[in-house]
DNA sequence: CGTCATTTTGAGGTATTTCAACGAAGGTGG
DNA sequence: CCACCTTCGTTGAAATACCTCAAAATGACG
């Protein structure tokens, strides 16, 4: 089983308040670009509510989605000087912006906050390694199952634990999984045909057979 | 082109001396296990000389190599409480061990050292994302070219800049690239047939046609 | 309610995987 | 120092699964 994906509290309440004083809040609609590849990196961002995707467009015209981020996730730190990925909201989101210049001051005053960021960076790294394992699978259905499992964790509390909220398009899923759009569609079909997952519309799913679902996702 | 892979100095000389006082030096032969999946995480490690691989064995029996690390690289931070990957030397190596307990003290005294570690963690994250892009390619030859390009950067100074030192086995390369062992062998053959790269033995390569080599590696 | 992007479905091509057997290399013990 | 043995590497042939291309249907949005 893929471990290391428990929801991680980024910061304690005290630290969160300390940071809140320095943060700018952005209320963004769906599909809003937060920053682009190559622009100079000036801030870190924390998601209050919503979801974003970080991606790069490759020379071939293909697009690779490096990660999806959700509430309490941190992004903007995978760079040095300039951002290497573009970040865009999937759904309306509330984003907190922390300017690096003010952040270094906070770090000087309280190294333990900085340690929290280091911990969080490690969490993001584990996510990236897990992503590597997903893409390493050869079967489309198994890859899809692992992505759905990821999404399931997000709505563990919000919705029932069989309900899967899918805030992105099939195309996004394909770009994350390293599959073609058609392969994703067919994989969804097959999960339905086999009675493992049911799809209601394109942005919601429901687990029908949890045992076989977990078996699929774990069968790396 | 894949950017973000320039050799990064982990620490300034002053900081390195500060850390050296707290570090334990290990001289290890090839194939030595430094720590295993699931053991409690007590230390960070920095490579003085040598090379290591970090990997996980999946339930299916497959092995996925998450990363190769070389001189001045840092590892042991991709975890929370327990290590999630096993780390093993590829060649005889000198490894510095920094116990977390002493490290937190250092962080308290000099937050700028901690910031260096955060920066380094971001670098490792970028490497993981680059790995994602490599594995995302569908052509075995292109993936191999990107790995060779990575190895090339390591020996930029040590050997000529056409010489590629390959400290790992074909099997390791396969597990890193998400290919079968046979696919790696055939990809090597094809690079030779096309006069792009020449292999001397199994652990050394030489770039023959740099233009086409770069074109291959960039053609993501 | 119409337009447009996204999704869905079908058929064929191509790459890698798998399976099997052989050859080479490295490490160990006599 | 040599021989053995285990591991790793190499090559060939067939099968599977995904990709690509093309066209129709669905859904989103103004």
């Amino acid at each position: 089983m893929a471990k290391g994906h428990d929801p991680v509290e980024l910061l304690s309440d005290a630290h969160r308040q300390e940071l809140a004083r320095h943060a700018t809040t952005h209320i963004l609609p769906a599909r809003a670009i937060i920053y682009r590849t190559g622009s100079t990196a000036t801030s870190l961002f924390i998601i209050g509510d919503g979801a974003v995707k970080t991606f790069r467009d490759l020379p071939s015209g293909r697009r690779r989605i490096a990660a999806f981020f959700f509430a309490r996730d941190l992004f903007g730190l995978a760079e040095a000087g300039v951002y290497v990925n573009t970040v865009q909201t999937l759904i309306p989101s509330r984003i907190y912006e922390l300017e690096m210049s003010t952040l270094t001051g906070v770090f000087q005053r309280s190294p333990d906050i900085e340690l929290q960021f280091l911990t969080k960076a490690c969490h993001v790294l584990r996510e990236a390694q897990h992503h590597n394992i997903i893409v390493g699978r050869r079967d489309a259905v198994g890859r899809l199952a692992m992505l759905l499992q990821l999404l399931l964790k997000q709505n563990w509390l919000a919705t029932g634990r069989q309900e899967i909220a899918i805030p992105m398009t099939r195309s996004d899923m394909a770009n994350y999984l390293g599959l073609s759009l058609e392969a994703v569609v067919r994989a969804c079909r097959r999960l339905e045909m086999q009675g493992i997952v049911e799809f209601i519309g394109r942005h919601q799913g429901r687990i029908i057979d949890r045992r076989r679902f977990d078996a699929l996702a774990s069968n790396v």
Side-chain angles (χ1 to χ4, degrees), chain A:
Chain A
M1 248 302 293
K3 298 221 179 61
H5 285 274
D6 309 297
V8 168
E9 293 292 332
L10 171 58
L11 301 161
S12 69
D13 285 333
H15 291 157
R16 192 172 298 132
Q17 288 176 18
E18 159 83 11
L19 285 174
R21 282 198 296 278
H22 302 290
T24 313
T25 304
H26 299 277
I27 304 292
L28 298 173
R31 303 186 187 189
I33 302 255
I34 298 174
Y35 56 75
R36 291 179 188 278
T37 298
S39 56
T40 60
T42 58
S43 304
L44 290 185
F45 300 87
I46 298 176
I47 302 182
D49 282 303
V52 306
K53 60 180 172 182
T54 79
F55 62 90
R56 286 176 67 179
D57 289 314
L58 302 173
S60 61
R62 277 199 172 77
R63 171 171 293 181
R64 295 247 57 194
I65 291 183
F68 298 113
F69 290 123
F70 303 93
R72 296 178 185 283
D73 276 336
L74 175 109
F75 62 90
L77 49 58
E79 305 85 356
V82 302
Y83 296 121
V84 300
N85 292 315
T86 298
V87 177
Q88 185 177 20
T89 56
L90 293 167
I91 53 178
S93 306
R94 186 171 72 251
I95 308 288
Y96 302 114
E97 176 173 10
L98 295 160
E99 295 200 16
M100 286 300 292
S101 51
T102 71
L103 209 52
T104 50
V106 173
F107 286 170
Q108 289 292 336
R109 286 193 298 279
S110 46
D112 47 337
I113 287 190
E114 187 174 5
L115 190 58
Q116 300 276 8
F117 274 83
L118 184 54
T119 300
K120 187 59 188 173
C122 292
H123 178 67
V124 175
L125 175 59
R126 280 199 304 278
E127 291 286 332
Q129 291 182 347
H130 185 246
H131 186 191
N132 269 331
I133 291 176
I134 293 179
V135 178
R137 296 187 65 159
R138 336 206 169 295
D139 57 327
V141 183
R143 284 193 246 189
L144 174 61
M146 292 185 81
L147 172 55
L148 293 178
Q149 200 177 50
L150 224 72
L151 296 175
L152 197 58
K153 289 232 172 70
Q154 285 308 315
N155 298 51
W156 222 49
L157 308 168
T159 75
R161 54 191 56 183
Q162 308 302 130
E163 301 297 320
I164 310 173
I166 307 173
M168 71 286 292
T169 68
R170 295 282 184 272
S171 210
D172 285 333
M173 297 168 73
N175 290 333
Y176 179 82
L177 295 173
L179 294 170
S180 66
L181 164 62
E182 296 92 325
V184 172
V185 171
R186 282 186 252 264
C188 289
R189 281 290 147 277
R190 259 161 82 181
L191 282 181
E192 282 196 320
M193 292 299 99
Q194 299 180 15
I196 298 176
V197 175
E198 175 187 27
F199 290 93
I200 301 99
R202 312 208 236 238
H203 296 295
Q204 196 184 345
R206 177 182 299 138
I207 309 229
I208 303 297
D209 189 335
R210 170 64 91 148
R211 173 179 293 286
R212 282 198 292 161
F213 177 80
D214 286 337
L216 245 183
S218 306
N219 183 28
V220 185

